[in-house]
Amino acid sequence: MRDSPNIAVVVMDTARDSDVISSTAPTIAELGEAGTRYTEAFSAAPWTLPSHGSLFTGSYPSKHGAYSGHEHLDDALPTLPELLGDAGYETFGVTNNTWITDEFGFGRGFDTLRKAWQLLPGDGNMLWEMVQVQDEENSEGLLERALSGNPIRNAVNAAYARFAYARRDSGAGRTVDLIDDWLGSRSGDRPFFLFANCIEPHLEYEPPREYAEEFLPDDVSYADATALEQDPWEYLVGNVNHSSEEFDVLRALYRAEIASLDDRIAELRDALVAAGEWEDTILVVVGDHGENIGDHGMMDHQYCLYDTLLHVPLVIQGPGFEDGGEVDDLTSLVDLAPTLLDAAGVDAPDAREEFQGRSVHPDADAESREELYAEYMNPQPTMAALERQVGELPEYVYRFDRSLRAVRTEEYKFIRGSDGTRELYHVAEDSAERSSLENERPELAAELEERLDEWIDSFEHAETSEEVDISGARKQQLEELGYLQ
């Protein structure tokens, strides 16, 4: 075994904990049994950009500054791949989510960060625009942009995206292929940091037929299931209604997506074994946030801080984490950066001074945390973006025009909105967060609110006054994923 272990982090984009482990994802269950499963793991934010920012920097959104309104991870804080790269690690990543790209500040520290939807690597997301644009109104300037930069590469990538990418799944198969090729091309004996964002559980749920048929009710065909409306914003504003049976079908498709991704994770493990790297590798499998599938009257993963969006799977297997069993201490994704630095034997004292997380490495002497936090800094999409998408909004939708912060202990969660709303849940007994106790337990609500305010005042917040421009192909791709701009 080399002195420092390899580290591989696989993000299951939009995987919520209750739908991941056990029969839905046997590979992840095996990894948890052989390693350590953190049963009370929570995201610091309910959507991709700020959550990955927290995972990469070990800090909460208001400190790292990447969230709606400032959609960029600035360089004020070092990232995990930067810190490991500085310590001698080779760093390689594959992403299937356009947020997690160079354009949004996530390339820092990677020797290579591949976009899985590109056959030929290059800057920008031009291919997505070329493939997705279907009408004359949105095609304005498309030819000029296609001919800019490297038009041959743009054309090859567009053809690849249209006819090959995501034919097997939503890109996880392509991701494993890229990683397998990279493992086979490596030379030397440097340890590596490997990162992969896999987007299968994300809307729209379109699992391969063979997986869907394992989970769908007997009387529902694959064609009928995938024909169900999955636009979360049309549902939010009441233009689409789903029965409980239809939501059961959507949940079945969602579980099938996870089962499909679980098999790709098994293939990644096989690739590491074939490359002779498995015994020296710490493998982390984690969800960046969860999903509402009719829960709380919502679809997608915006506008709230309920556990359907925050409670995520987290398993770590490999040197130092063997046979750790189940850890039921409160764990946040901000804890991953210090944990993995400990696993790598990297000191990085200046970075650790900035971390808001604490190591959950089995050899760490940190005390169990009493509380953790989550933030939703701005609504995404904004009310104006929703109006452009669906037309006039019902009055009740404007209640989502707010920011949210939450503090959680093992027993209770307190959520406060910028509009003055306050919610208190006894999550130990009311895990679905159906009954707010704010009026019944005002003293406890006040105590938790005070703890929340003390935490907010305890650190320097990011300066995010400068607006980030999102236009062209990136905007189109984000809108395809439901992130209206």
Side-chain angles (χ1 to χ4, degrees):
M1 179 180 294
R2 60 169 58 95
D3 292 338
S4 298
N6 305 316
I7 295 172
V9 176
V10 177
V11 173
M12 305 175 70
D13 199 306
T14 318
R16 70 189 210 180
D17 183 76
S18 61
D19 290 289
V20 168
I21 310 301
S22 70
S23 62
T24 306
T27 301
I28 298 172
E30 290 173 14
L31 293 171
E33 290 170 4
T36 304
R37 178 187 171 199
Y38 297 86
T39 62
E40 296 299 311
F42 295 87
S43 178
W47 64 288
T48 295
L49 178 74
S51 177
H52 276 74
S54 292
L55 189 158
F56 274 43
T57 67
S59 62
Y60 285 94
S62 57
K63 181 168 184 175
H64 65 63
Y67 45 75
S68 180
H70 184 81
E71 293 94 344
H72 191 272
L73 184 64
D74 295 338
D75 59 5
L77 299 174
T79 65
L80 181 61
E82 279 185 305
L83 295 167
L84 291 173
D86 289 344
Y89 274 68
E90 187 176 356
T91 57
F92 180 79
V94 183
T95 178
N96 288 274
N97 190 317
T98 192
W99 286 121
I100 313 306
T101 55
D102 296 328
E103 291 88 346
F104 294 101
F106 285 90
R108 284 191 290 126
F110 284 104
D111 298 326
T112 303
L113 179 60
R114 287 294 305 271
K115 299 166 184 171
W117 58 87
Q118 291 186 335
L119 183 63
L120 303 178
D123 295 334
N125 293 326
M126 184 64 228
L127 73 95
W128 197 274
E129 191 171 1
M130 294 172 73
V131 170
Q132 297 295 331
V133 169
Q134 303 292 330
D135 57 79
E136 182 177 349
E137 178 183 355
N138 288 328
S139 66
E140 182 179 353
L142 180 59
L143 179 61
E144 179 181 350
R145 292 192 294 276
L147 295 175
S148 66
N150 187 326
I152 295 176
R153 186 193 67 215
N154 288 342
V156 169
N157 281 337
Y160 174 76
R162 186 173 185 85
F163 299 111
Y165 174 70
R167 289 292 294 273
R168 283 181 287 175
D169 46 39
S170 296
R174 163 72 168 162
T175 298
V176 174
D177 290 345
L178 287 169
I179 291 171
D180 193 23
D181 290 345
W182 173 75
L183 288 169
S185 68
R186 295 181 69 240
S187 60
D189 196 38
R190 293 169 61 197
F192 61 74
F193 171 71
L194 171 64
F195 169 81
N197 170 288
C198 298
I199 205 168
E200 270 66 14
H202 199 290
L203 278 170
E204 293 181 355
Y205 315 135
E206 296 178 329
R209 180 187 295 269
E210 62 269 27
Y211 290 94
E213 290 177 345
E214 291 184 24
F215 293 92
L216 286 173
D218 293 337
D219 60 346
V220 178
S221 71
Y222 180 73
D224 288 342
T226 53
L228 280 175
E229 176 61 64
Q230 296 190 35
D231 189 315
W233 316 128
E234 296 287 352
Y235 174 75
L236 183 72
V237 302
N239 292 342
V240 170
N241 293 303
H242 287 307
S243 66
S244 59
E245 291 80 12
E246 288 173 325
F247 272 123
D248 287 342
V249 171
L250 291 175
R251 292 187 190 101
L253 293 176
Y254 178 76
R255 289 194 294 273
E257 291 276 28
I258 291 172
S260 171
L261 178 53
D262 186 73
D263 278 352
R264 304 294 82 73
I265 292 172
E267 292 174 3
L268 172 59
R269 178 180 57 187
D270 292 345
L272 289 165
V273 171
E277 299 288 1
W278 176 248
E279 297 298 327
D280 290 334
T281 299
I282 293 170
L283 176 60
V284 180
V285 180
V286 62
D288 63 335
H289 56 76
E291 184 82 316
N292 281 316
I293 312 174
D295 311 89
H296 306 286
M298 299 184 192
M299 293 177 64
D300 200 74
H301 39 270
Q302 300 290 343
Y303 300 137
C304 72
L305 288 177
Y306 298 122
D307 281 1
T308 47
L309 302 194
L310 298 180
H311 194 197
V312 294
L314 173 59
V315 298
I316 307 180
Q317 199 274 335
F321 294 89
E322 306 96 330
D323 303 316
E326 292 190 350
V327 175
D328 59 6
D329 294 342
L330 290 175
T331 307
S332 171
L333 293 197
V334 299
D335 298 332
L336 271 180
T339 299
L340 295 178
L341 289 187
D342 278 357
V346 174
D347 290 332
D350 291 342
R352 289 178 186 267
E353 284 289 323
E354 298 291 344
F355 287 156
Q356 293 178 291
R358 54 106 171 108
S359 175
V360 295
H361 191 282
D363 294 337
D365 58 3
E367 296 182 359
S368 299
R369 62 165 73 248
E370 295 183 358
E371 71 262 328
L372 49 73
Y373 303 90
E375 298 184 299
Y376 185 66
M377 299 301 293
N378 288 303
Q380 164 46 254
T382 64
M383 298 303 103
L386 268 183
E387 289 172 351
R388 289 194 296 271
Q389 178 74 9
V390 301
E392 185 176 354
L393 303 181
E395 187 62 32
Y396 67 83
V397 173
Y398 289 97
R399 74 179 188 270
F400 300 126
D401 191 16
R402 61 183 180 178
S403 62
L404 298 166
R405 283 190 169 105
V407 55
R408 181 200 178 92
T409 68
E410 289 185 352
E411 288 199 69
Y412 292 94
K413 183 201 284 186
F414 175 80
I415 306 171
R416 183 176 66 193
S418 59
D419 58 353
T421 55
R422 301 160 86 246
E423 301 170 68
L424 175 68
Y425 297 99
H426 191 184
V427 288
E429 295 184 359
D430 178 20
S431 60
E433 296 166 284
R434 298 185 188 279
S435 301
S436 176
L437 304 176
E438 194 271 330
N439 292 326
E440 298 175 32
R441 302 286 305 275
E443 292 182 359
L444 177 58
E447 175 188 334
L448 290 174
E449 184 168 27
E450 183 177 358
R451 289 166 74 170
L452 179 61
D453 285 331
E454 289 175 352
W455 173 76
I456 291 170
D457 292 338
S458 68
F459 60 92
E460 185 175 349
H461 295 218
E463 295 183 6
T464 58
S465 57
E466 184 178 346
E467 188 172 335
V468 176
D469 179 46
I470 302 176
S471 59
R474 283 184 287 167
K475 184 175 181 180
Q476 179 73 19
Q477 187 176 2
L478 289 169
E479 291 180 355
E480 288 294 324
L481 292 173
Y483 296 105
L484 306 177
Q485 299 297 311

